[in-house]
Amino acid sequence: MATTNDHPGEQAAQDPIKLIGVRDSALSLDEVFRAVGDDAAGGTALFVGTVRNHDGGADVEELGYSCHPSAEAEMRRVAEKVAAEFPVRALAAVHRVGDLRVGDLAVVVAVSCPHRGEAFEACRKLIDDLKHEVPIWKHQRFSDGTNEWVGA
């Protein structure tokens, strides 16, 4: 019998980036999950970032996301970096821009890999790097009438 790593399913896919997008409309968990479906994947990790009702001790009423025109290209660059580091079978990432309310989906990312540990690690790296490297900014509006920019 061949060793585990000899099987093609244990390797990264040729073109694992299935969905990258910056959108001004509601995000779909189903769309992202379907995008990373792969018969060779034994693990799929999905992260969903939502608008919470507080930040830094203040009540958040709503927020708005805006981005630089290069944001989608930067998302792809980050995704390519993650796909090069892990045996990614499929990867998807979408981020919302525009005005959002508490509970709305702000970002959805998913990664499928041959094994669960790799999927968890790759998904964590993907969301962490997107947050730190992609030019998307959050403008929070608080219930006391104040506001702040985050990531700008």
Side-chain angles (χ1 to χ4, degrees), residues 115-129:
H115 303 280
R116 71 179 177 273
E118 300 158 340
F120 279 126
E121 290 177 39
C123 190
R124 172 117 194 197
K125 179 147 183 67
L126 177 60
I127 189 59
D128 287 350
D129 289 358

Side-chain angles (χ1 to χ4, degrees), residues 54-69:
H54 68 282
D55 190 40
D59 292 331
V60 173
E61 287 289 316
E62 63 183 2
L63 56 79
Y65 282 100
S66 59
C67 69
H68 188 272

Side-chain angles (χ1 to χ4, degrees), residues 99-121:
D99 292 330
L100 286 78
R101 298 244 174 239
V102 171
D104 285 348
L105 306 183
V107 61
V108 182
V109 301
V111 178
S112 62
C113 292
H115 303 280
R116 71 179 177 273
E118 300 158 340
F120 279 126
E121 290 177 39

